[in-house]
Amino acid sequence: MSKKTNIGGQAVMEGVMMRSPRGIAIAVRATDGTINKEFRTVTSKAKKGTFLGLPIVRGVVSFVESLTIGMSTTTRSAEMMGLDYEEPSKFEKWLAKVFGTTADKIFIAIAAVIGILIGVGLFMFLPTLIADLIFGSDVGSFWKSLTAGGIRMLVFLGYLLLCSAVKDVRRLFMYHGAEHKTIACYEADDELTPENAMKHSRFHPRCGTSFLFLVMIISILFFSIVGWSENKLILYGTRLLLIPVIAGVSYEVLQFAAKHDNILTKILRAPGMALQHITTKEPTKDMLEVAIASFKLALDPDADKKETESIMTEADTASAETCSECVCGEKGEEEETNECGCGCCNVE
């Protein structure tokens, strides 16, 4: 027996973010070893029956939302870890005052813009320039576009391999694997435990890595069809304008491949699944505990609230029972405690 879920996620600093139609759940392993959890209600703007919910358009919306949510949740996970807080500098306070928001959000926006510019330069302009050196800047052809696309793929793979060699990024990839195993465990209708989740695959067809790979492949096809202009302004401008279209088409292809299981979809999924050998690593059981906590919170945030309330009620009841039986010290002195040590009666 198996079941499907529309919950997806991403790895964050020492934790996992899971996103459901109701919102975003984050679970992070704090520096003291506990698991800190947080749920935030967020709904996608790509709703059915609206313009933003139309095919292709919804893919663009999803891409933008994933970028912004990814940046914000990564920053939030660092805070939830319990890292030492530093007092904002005068410059940060000035930024917050001028822009009417916190300095962290400003830096996140700046980092996102810089990241996009680096991505466009590294994966679009650089391959084009190298193809110009090979074929000549005045020559435009299908093979030139194909060569630039191949170079783009090599740059992308090299970038991922370089990142995976970094210790902190490798831990991030381990949490990525924990996210996939948790979802696979749920979809297999197994009880969500670290032991059960460990048995499942860390490769998943709806992974964002597969999406990025599809973007690369489809961009090669689109750019080859559009052609190669001698005017660099027109060339780069056309490619920039096509990015939202490529993202939208890639999203639809990924959704189709994830919902169907036949020879065609297996071929479509294969490159992205293979790429996950780099972007996911085998997690530890404590990482799976974090991923499962995040998934359960995303699946039913109300159940988590009820559980918390139940624990609080039990604690209050236990405290009341203890207080009725203990012998109190002199009331009104804060330093005094009961003989049982609870200190509950140190009030006037």
Side-chain angles (χ1 to χ4, degrees):
M1 182 178 178
S2 63
K3 52 187 176 183
K4 293 291 184 182
T5 177
N6 51 7
I7 296 177
Q10 72 170 57
V12 295
M13 291 183 65
E14 290 302 319
V16 173
M17 179 274 284
M18 293 285 188
R19 183 178 181 182
S20 70
R22 293 183 61 179
I24 296 168
I26 308 175
V28 173
R29 180 73 69 179
T31 53
D32 61 2
T34 59
I35 299 176
N36 289 335
K37 296 183 291 182
E38 180 179 279
F39 182 84
R40 178 160 51 97
T41 302
V42 176
T43 55
S44 175
K45 296 184 182 299
K47 296 179 180 179
K48 289 184 179 181
T50 65
F51 172 76
L52 296 180
L54 293 174
I56 309 297
V57 178
R58 63 186 177 185
V60 180
V61 176
S62 177
F63 179 66
V64 174
E65 288 180 344
S66 296
L67 282 177
T68 54
I69 290 173
M71 292 292 291
S72 63
T73 52
T74 299
T75 302
R76 179 59 185 149
S77 66
E79 297 172 352
M80 292 172 66
M81 280 177 62
L83 297 177
D84 293 337
Y85 174 77
E86 294 182 2
E87 183 69 23
S89 64
K90 291 182 179 180
F91 177 66
E92 290 175 329
K93 291 178 179 178
W94 176 81
L95 283 176
K97 184 177 180 180
V98 171
F99 292 97
T101 186
T102 62
D104 287 343
K105 291 183 179 180
I106 297 171
F107 290 139
I108 289 173
I110 294 173
V113 172
I114 293 174
I116 292 172
L117 291 176
I118 291 175
V120 170
L122 193 62
F123 301 118
M124 183 177 293
F125 293 160
L126 180 61
T128 301
L129 292 174
I130 295 175
D132 278 341
L133 293 174
I134 297 173
F135 291 90
S137 58
D138 297 330
V139 179
S141 67
F142 170 81
W143 293 110
K144 188 175 182 179
S145 296
L146 201 61
T147 301
I151 295 169
R152 190 175 298 113
M153 289 296 301
L154 290 174
V155 170
F156 179 60
L157 289 172
Y159 173 78
L160 288 179
L161 286 170
L162 186 64
C163 287
S164 65
V166 179
K167 183 180 178 181
D168 288 342
V169 176
R170 189 174 182 84
R171 282 193 66 82
L172 196 71
F173 287 171
M174 290 173 73
Y175 273 107
H176 190 191
E179 175 225 328
H180 285 186
K181 281 176 173 285
T182 298
I183 293 174
C185 182
Y186 175 81
E187 291 184 333
D189 204 22
D190 283 349
E191 182 184 357
L192 280 174
T193 65
E195 291 75 20
N196 286 344
M198 188 66 78
K199 302 173 187 176
H200 292 274
S201 173
R202 73 176 199 262
F203 311 117
H204 201 280
R206 294 199 313 273
C207 177
T209 305
S210 299
F211 174 76
L212 290 176
F213 195 90
L214 279 172
V215 167
M216 293 289 175
I217 296 296
I218 293 174
S219 68
I220 293 173
L221 297 175
F222 269 68
F223 295 161
S224 299
I225 294 171
V226 170
W228 200 281
S229 174
E230 295 181 10
N231 187 313
K232 296 303 178 189
L233 185 62
I234 295 176
L235 176 67
Y236 292 139
T238 302
R239 276 149 175 69
L240 286 173
L241 290 173
L242 279 173
I243 288 177
V245 179
I246 292 169
V249 172
S250 300
Y251 176 85
E252 299 301 330
V253 173
L254 182 65
Q255 292 296 308
F256 174 80
K259 292 177 181 178
H260 300 83
D261 191 18
N262 51 53
I263 296 176
L264 175 60
T265 56
K266 286 180 180 178
I267 293 173
L268 289 173
R269 291 197 299 259
M273 296 290 280
L275 200 60
Q276 290 177 44
H277 282 86
I278 302 175
T279 62
T280 66
K281 301 298 178 185
E282 285 296 327
T284 58
K285 285 188 177 181
D286 64 318
M287 290 179 173
L288 286 166
E289 286 178 1
V290 176
I292 290 171
S294 180
F295 184 87
K296 287 183 175 179
L297 183 58
L299 187 66
D300 190 357
D302 294 330
D304 190 78
K305 289 178 182 177
K306 290 176 183 177
E307 182 181 347
T308 303
E309 290 172 358
S310 175
I311 292 172
M312 290 177 66
T313 302
E314 289 174 7
D316 291 340
T317 303
S319 177
E321 290 174 353
T322 302
C323 291
S324 65
E325 296 175 359
C326 71
V327 179
C328 298
E330 185 178 345
K331 296 182 179 181
E333 296 183 10
E334 294 185 1
E335 296 300 322
E336 292 287 347
T337 60
N338 303 322
E339 290 185 2
C340 66
C342 69
C344 59
C345 297
N346 295 332
V347 291
E348 294 184 359

